[in-house]
Amino acid sequence: MPKHALTALALCLGLAVPSVALAEWKPNRPVEFVAAAGPGGGTDTFARVVQSALSKNELLTTPIIVSNKAGGSGAETFIYAKSNKGDPYKLYFGTQDAYVLPLANKLSYSLKDLTPIAAMVFDPFMLWVNPKTSGIEDVKGFIAKAKEAPGQLKLGGAKAKEADETLMTLIEHATGVDLTYIPYKSGSEAAIQVAGGHITANVNNPSESVEQWKAGVQKPLCVFENERLADTTVIADGLSWHDIPTCKEAGIAVDSFAQPRTIWAAADLPPEALAYYTDLFTKAAAAPEFKAYQQRGAQIPRLLTGDAFKDFIKKHEASYAEIYKRNGWLRAEQ
Amino acid sequence: MDISRSTMDIAAACATAAVGAVVCYGATLNGIAWGDSGPEPGYFPFYVGGLIILGSAGTIVQAWRRRAAGHDRPGADAGADSFLDGERLRTILAFFLPIVAMVAVSAWLGLYVGMALYIFYALRIAAGFRTLTAALAALAVVAVNFVIFEKLFMVPLLKGPILEAFGIY
Amino acid sequence: MGNFGQLMDGFAVALTAHHLMIMVVGVLLGLVVGVLPGLGAPNGVSLLLPLTFTMDPISAIILLTSMYWGALFGGSTTSILFNIPGEPSSVATTFDGYPLAKQGQAARALTLAFTSAGIGALTGVLVITLLSGWVANFALRFGAAEYFAVYFMAFASFIGMSGGSPFKTLVSMMLGFAAATVGIDTISGESRLTFEFDELIGGISFLIAVIGLFGLGELLLTMEEGLKFEGVKAKLDIRVIARTVAEMPRYWATLIRSALIGCWMGITPGGPTAASFMSYALGRRFSRRGRFFGKGEPEGIVAPETADHSAGSCALLPMLALGIPGSATAAVMMGGLMIWGLSPGPMLFSTRPDFVWGLIASMYMGNLIAVVLVLATVPLFAFILRAPFTVVGPLITVVCVIGAYTVANHMFDVWLALGFGIVGYVFKKLDYPLAPFVLAMVLGDKAEDAFRQAMLTSDGSPAIFFSNGLVATMMGLGLLLLCLPAISLLLKGRAATPKDGAAPAPEGRSA
């Protein structure tokens, strides 16, 4: 097949004159972005923002097609990646789910089937309540309420046994309270349930709850970061993101729990393609469209590529594995 | 090669009952109890499977009774009581098997090749058009679909090795 | 009312030549997308999204919503002509639309569908205009228990509707529930009924089931009957369109009932698909011509179409006001809003009134344009029907196969659709009703999720389903609807003298 011949040729050239060959790979046909979430979900928006940053600034001139494979909490995307080994025209967009999903579920793919390209940005997590219906104004009030009636305080989040529920177990572990987790299809659905007073609290990225905050039906209590967020623009109630205390200083001793927005390719990606995409997404992270997306979501601008990203994955996976083990969520035969 | 309606009724009900049994079994893997805070994941599927079996059993009994009551009666209208006869079965298979073949070919050589061969077959052999007409129609179908999906909406259909060899991705 | 002043400003925004052109283009693209069963409105809108990155948000949302209207109309076309619902929400249109087309009245059926759809959509927009401020607060009152009550009402109105064997209805509905269960469970995060097949972990797509059961199943039946679409020799007569439009006032009761159901289901989380089913079921029960439903009755087309489109329009309101999409398409558009730099939510109405009211104004215009354009396509489609089945049949087959593939770009789905095709054929011949299957598949997992969320919220106490006036009323209505057929059956049973105690529904037999 000519495609393989070309790859072989490129590899030969690469051995002979590495720098030239590395610089020369360029996509010459449409690139597919597969988002591990349904339309409108966080990962979907992420993929489409990157798409718009790339095409508007003409960083990538071949067409970009965004498709969604949300099945199995996104596992479908990475199983699909496994069947497209070495294909440099398909990139996969996700979060930590790429390496966390196989911890709890028996899936036919593993991290070995993926080539990490970049973590473009980190979404912080916050603890939200509706101050009017719950009467909770700060973290102290939250803990007091939870201790008053163990198991009675309902905390919502997206999906089961994923980031949101994991974070809830961390809160329980750090404060010794007993909460009840209620899973919804998406973080914004949980946010609306809090806004409507049907449940007491939720953990969520800022972007999915900020409009409810402005409308006065939700309020952020604290952010699960080691330092406060940087943005000092006033959002609502005369407060900015920077004015929200970290959960640690407010009394919930949970370390930084940010969600990386990650980009992957299938295993055996040609090294020159990896170099090309690493460079491409580094440029995309600096594009105005992406900056605006970051600011809207109060995200933490932290770009990880290459070995730094690999190290991060290793550590992040290990920390999730530890929490999962404590919660008894690890899949049986491990 | 006549399949009577009641035979088919019973066969279909056995099949649905088997599906029900599979559903019940699958549900037991998730836990089927009603816990402290509502049902476990397998609770509803288990009873859904059970109801499928129940409904299937009801259908079998009904079909059996009808068969006992009406089938042996002389002079019953054979046509109304027949689900499928040999000739109709052949017609159906002549239509359905090429579709299966198209899908098999598509999985291997890509959807465009599959649909071209299928349209050509359907028009040339099944409908009896001339070879040239059928070939042109097949090409037209491929071209229209290619423009709509690949160009207009940018939905890549499965290409397969042949098109990729020609540099069409 | 202040709303009307703002609406006028909105019209000033929407009624430029540029925007009108965008509407025409959007509607036309939407028609193409709607006609192709795999693409559908959500896919179509997400495919167009990249085009909008360089547009200003108002033009962009007008393009996307116009495409949505076009797709909704296009979906009904294939339902009526080929028994293949182009959109999930037009499944109920096949029940009477296809029989009427088979009787040689395809043009009339299409016109009925399009006109009532237009009326439904405009009612929906009117509701949005009048109630925009109130709806956001109302929607906040919907917790898990209320969600469940909405789904329960939809089920209850449908149960006991079909006249055939109760055992077969039961099996059909339960199979639908089982199909909806496949995949990862929201509440526990466990995979259910996948038996460790990778292909099943994403669940069974509703569209695949519909393409197989209705599209391929019907093709097999037609093939068996001897290679012809019956009654397609009807002459093409433009005057049919005008005459059909003129008969619309006759269906006023159905129109009003269906529009109300549609708006209700659009504002609450029921969505257009559930709305069209519920409207069809209630139409069948309460209309004077109810007993003709399923045999090509005009009201059987008017009811689901009106509800489908009024729900489709109303579903945009929770998206704008709460950031909760009322339908899959709305979810895609919401993603678009965020990329254009707008945040859907309660503040959008005050921060960007030009956007919101421009959009609402464009909904009036877009739907009017869609009705006109789509009526213009009626002769074209009626013409297609005159081609011999030996040509049309394979073409439809190809459309079905591609459609099944494009749902998720899986060849496995195509095989699954073939399997559903055989099931559809056998079930139809054995008089299994397919509607309960479809409804259960659409709403089954949502209803289960809502039920279990509610139980978690209440610590396992079912009292939550009667804990406030709203949810108690909805549950009460649902229970009433559920018992209605049993009560009427009881009354009927007492009146008649049954010869054969085991056969309460003899009319289903002869088919």
Side-chain angles (χ1 to χ4, degrees):
Chain A
M1 267 193 270
K3 193 176 71 182
H4 288 274
L6 276 178
T7 319
L9 188 69
L11 281 174
C12 290
L13 285 174
L15 285 175
V17 268
S19 59
V20 176
L22 275 181
E24 266 182 3
W25 191 89
K26 246 181 101 173
N28 57 3
R29 54 167 156 135
V31 179
E32 192 182 347
F33 285 6
V34 187
T43 300
D44 178 63
T45 312
F46 167 52
R48 288 178 197 279
V49 166
V50 173
Q51 176 196 24
S52 81
L54 290 177
S55 53
K56 254 177 144 174
N57 298 297
E58 292 177 8
L59 295 170
L60 186 63
T61 42
T62 54
I64 304 168
I65 301 153
V66 177
S67 60
N68 301 85
K69 288 194 190 294
S73 301
E76 202 186 346
T77 296
F78 306 111
I79 291 169
Y80 179 61
K82 190 186 176 185
S83 66
N84 288 299
K85 211 172 199 187
D87 187 342
Y89 293 99
K90 289 191 173 72
L91 300 177
Y92 310 91
F93 285 65
T95 55
Q96 72 282 349
D97 47 7
Y99 43 89
V100 170
L101 282 172
L103 291 178
N105 302 292
K106 192 169 177 331
L107 297 171
S108 65
Y109 85 94
S110 72
L111 199 48
K112 279 192 235 70
D113 299 309
L114 303 171
T115 305
I117 296 182
M120 287 194 63
V121 72
F122 284 73
D123 265 66
F125 271 90
M126 290 185 163
L127 178 62
W128 299 82
V129 294
N130 181 342
K132 285 178 205 150
T133 57
S134 69
I136 298 172
E137 287 290 336
D138 52 16
V139 172
K140 270 203 194 73
F142 175 80
I143 296 177
K145 191 115 183 174
K147 285 204 165 142
E148 211 171 88
Q152 290 298 303
L153 198 152
K154 309 292 187 298
L155 185 138
K159 312 247 171 76
K161 291 179 192 160
E162 286 190 33
D164 295 14
E165 192 173 357
T166 307
L167 183 53
M168 184 212 66
T169 64
L170 289 179
I171 300 173
E172 286 184 328
H173 190 73
T175 57
V177 299
D178 183 14
L179 308 167
T180 298
Y181 180 76
I182 303 189
Y184 293 91
K185 279 238 153 47
S186 68
S188 44
E189 218 174 282
I192 295 299
Q193 293 297 309
V194 172
H198 304 285
I199 54 177
T200 316
N202 69 323
V203 285
N204 207 355
N205 302 138
S207 60
E208 284 176 318
S209 280
V210 59
E211 290 301 309
Q212 315 302 333
W213 185 19
K214 286 182 189 165
V217 285
Q218 274 207 292
K219 184 183 173 180
L221 295 184
C222 66
V223 56
F224 293 94
E225 280 302 310
N226 291 335
E227 283 155 29
R228 290 188 177 198
L229 298 178
D231 195 343
T232 52
T233 333
V234 171
I235 309 278
D237 304 335
L239 298 175
S240 72
W241 290 121
H242 185 71
D243 295 319
I244 308 303
T246 69
C247 292
K248 259 185 172 170
E249 62 179 285
I252 302 177
V254 173
D255 277 330
S256 176
F257 191 86
Q259 170 160 290
R261 298 271 174 213
T262 55
I263 305 176
W264 308 78
D268 298 341
L269 180 74
E272 60 275 12
L274 176 61
Y276 172 82
Y277 283 123
T278 308
D279 179 54
L280 183 71
F281 291 120
T282 311
K283 281 184 195 150
E289 288 77 19
F290 199 76
K291 290 272 177 219
Y293 162 70
Q294 254 173 32
Q295 209 210 336
R296 254 198 327 275
Q299 290 163 318
I300 303 158
R302 190 172 157 217
L303 176 76
L304 293 176
T305 56
D307 287 338
F309 183 34
K310 277 188 195 151
D311 285 346
F312 170 80
I313 293 170
K314 214 175 272 165
K315 273 188 216 142
H316 205 210
E317 190 187 7
S319 73
Y320 259 95
E322 198 192 313
I323 303 166
Y324 272 37
K325 200 172 168 193
R326 193 169 66 209
N327 295 343
W329 293 351
L330 283 184
R331 67 159 197 257
E333 68 285 60
Q334 273 228 322
Chain B
M1 178 63 218
D2 253 9
I3 304 171
S4 79
R5 206 187 128 89
S6 51
T7 311
M8 195 60 203
D9 239 343
I10 292 170
C14 287
T16 53
V19 172
V22 170
V23 171
C24 280
Y25 166 71
T28 57
L29 301 178
N30 298 99
I32 55 168
W34 186 288
D36 289 338
S37 48
E40 287 183 34
Y43 180 86
F44 285 115
F46 183 77
Y47 289 97
V48 161
L51 285 172
I52 294 177
I53 297 175
L54 187 77
S56 308
T59 311
I60 292 174
V61 171
Q62 270 191 343
W64 208 271
R65 276 181 158 192
R66 197 167 52 227
R67 188 181 204 158
H71 208 67
D72 308 327
R73 206 183 303 149
D77 184 0
D81 228 359
S82 149
F83 178 80
L84 203 61
D85 56 31
E87 197 192 321
R88 287 182 162 209
L89 182 68
R90 263 193 300 281
T91 323
I92 293 281
L93 286 181
F95 179 71
F96 192 68
L97 288 182
I99 302 179
V100 175
M102 162 168 61
V103 178
V105 169
S106 299
W108 173 41
L109 293 174
L111 276 167
Y112 289 107
V113 177
M115 76 173 94
L117 290 177
Y118 172 72
I119 293 285
F120 180 77
Y121 164 85
L123 293 191
R124 177 69 193 84
I125 318 261
F129 284 87
R130 277 181 301 159
T131 311
L132 186 67
T133 321
L136 283 179
L139 272 182
V141 168
V142 169
V144 167
N145 277 303
F146 190 82
V147 168
I148 290 181
F149 287 97
E150 308 287 334
K151 298 297 162 197
L152 196 59
F153 291 114
M154 301 225 299
V155 178
L157 299 186
L158 194 68
K159 303 293 190 310
I162 296 185
L163 287 187
E164 292 205 5
F166 280 101
I168 302 168
Y169 300 109
Chain C
M1 255 198 156
N3 282 358
F4 270 104
Q6 285 176 306
L7 182 64
M8 288 305 129
D9 294 342
F11 271 115
V13 175
L15 276 182
T16 62
H18 175 60
H19 283 159
L20 284 176
M21 213 183 69
I22 287 180
M23 285 178 211
V24 173
V25 172
V27 167
L28 287 176
L29 284 174
L31 279 175
V32 177
V33 165
V35 166
L36 299 169
L39 279 182
N43 282 333
V45 171
S46 79
L47 295 171
L48 266 191
L49 208 51
L51 279 185
T52 65
F53 291 159
T54 47
M55 298 171 129
D56 77 291
I58 297 178
S59 312
I61 192 81
I62 289 178
L63 178 66
L64 295 191
T65 47
S66 303
M67 178 161 192
Y68 182 32
W69 314 137
L72 285 180
F73 281 101
S76 320
T77 310
T78 42
S79 293
I80 291 170
L81 296 183
F82 308 120
N83 202 37
I84 307 172
E87 294 281 319
S89 56
S90 37
V91 171
T93 310
T94 62
F95 301 158
D96 278 282
Y98 185 62
L100 190 59
K102 267 183 135 182
Q103 292 161 21
Q105 304 195 45
R108 180 163 172 235
L110 287 171
T111 312
L112 277 169
F114 297 150
T115 321
S116 47
I119 294 171
L122 291 177
T123 319
V125 192
L126 198 66
V127 167
I128 292 189
T129 311
L130 295 174
L131 301 180
S132 64
W134 170 80
V135 162
N137 286 328
F138 178 68
L140 271 185
R141 295 176 56 187
F142 278 74
E146 286 80 3
Y147 273 56
F148 177 76
V150 169
Y151 302 135
F152 179 68
M153 276 171 71
F155 277 120
S157 64
F158 217 76
I159 274 175
M161 189 200 90
S162 56
S165 151
F167 292 117
K168 288 179 174 172
T169 309
L170 179 74
V171 168
S172 173
M173 181 172 252
M174 290 303 144
L175 284 175
F177 278 124
T181 308
V182 177
I184 288 204
D185 170 34
T186 318
I187 308 297
S188 68
E190 291 174 25
S191 52
R192 298 193 294 183
L193 302 185
T194 58
F195 302 101
E196 296 179 11
F197 286 112
D198 281 350
E199 288 84 359
L200 288 178
I201 201 163
I204 296 175
S205 163
F206 167 70
L207 282 166
I208 299 294
V210 165
I211 288 172
L213 290 174
F214 288 80
L216 291 171
E218 187 62 37
L219 279 174
L220 288 173
L221 279 177
T222 315
M223 203 29 105
E224 183 192 322
E225 321 235 301
L227 289 172
K228 61 176 193 293
F229 268 140
E230 291 142 67
V232 293
K233 294 285 175 278
K235 277 193 213 82
L236 179 60
D237 188 353
I238 307 290
R239 275 169 302 178
V240 170
I241 300 175
R243 219 178 303 138
T244 312
V245 173
E247 71 179 277
M248 287 313 284
R250 219 187 295 162
Y251 310 121
W252 63 273
T254 303
L255 281 169
I256 292 175
R257 182 185 340 103
S258 309
L260 285 177
I261 294 170
C263 292
W264 166 255
M265 296 299 265
I267 292 169
T268 63
T273 309
S276 59
F277 274 104
M278 194 169 162
S279 171
Y280 184 85
L282 292 183
R284 178 169 171 151
R285 183 162 302 153
F286 292 114
S287 164
R288 269 186 295 127
R289 302 186 54 81
R291 67 208 145 94
F292 300 113
F293 272 42
K295 298 170 192 143
E297 162 62 34
E299 281 189 36
I301 301 173
V302 172
E305 280 295 311
T306 314
D308 171 10
H309 284 245
S310 51
S313 316
C314 284
L316 289 184
L317 194 55
M319 170 194 99
L320 292 171
L322 287 175
I324 289 285
S327 67
T329 318
V332 184
M333 289 188 203
M334 215 177 76
L337 288 181
M338 290 194 251
I339 290 166
W340 308 323
L342 296 172
S343 308
M347 305 312 285
L348 191 64
F349 282 81
S350 49
T351 52
R352 288 299 298 274
D354 58 326
F355 174 82
V356 173
W357 289 103
L359 167 62
I360 293 177
S362 86
M363 289 163 78
Y364 286 96
M365 293 311 302
N367 274 302
L368 281 178
I369 290 177
V371 173
V372 173
L373 281 181
V374 87
L375 283 177
T377 63
V378 170
L380 175 77
F381 285 116
F383 179 73
I384 290 179
L385 273 187
R386 301 176 73 175
F389 184 75
T390 45
V391 177
V392 177
L395 286 179
I396 302 175
T397 309
V398 167
V399 168
C400 286
V401 167
I402 298 178
Y405 179 78
T406 46
V407 167
N409 294 353
H410 276 170
M411 271 322 276
F412 174 75
D413 282 348
V414 183
W415 291 111
L416 204 58
L418 287 189
F420 273 117
I422 298 173
V423 173
Y425 165 76
V426 172
F427 272 24
K428 264 239 171 106
K429 283 202 78 173
L430 293 179
D431 295 323
Y432 280 84
L434 290 179
F437 179 94
V438 173
L439 187 73
M441 201 167 170
V442 177
L443 291 185
D445 59 333
K446 290 184 188 171
E448 191 198 345
D449 282 354
F451 182 81
R452 287 164 63 194
Q453 281 159 355
M455 293 310 273
L456 283 170
T457 318
S458 70
D459 298 308
S461 152
I464 189 168
F465 296 113
F466 297 92
S467 60
N468 62 50
L470 178 65
V471 69
T473 312
M474 288 194 292
M475 290 300 288
L477 271 173
L479 287 173
L480 189 70
L481 284 168
L482 198 62
C483 297
L484 216 57
I487 296 167
S488 61
L489 207 72
L490 216 69
L491 293 176
K492 231 186 269 168
R494 202 165 289 169
T497 44
K499 286 178 213 136
D500 175 7
E507 76 262 33
R509 283 288 153 72
S510 54

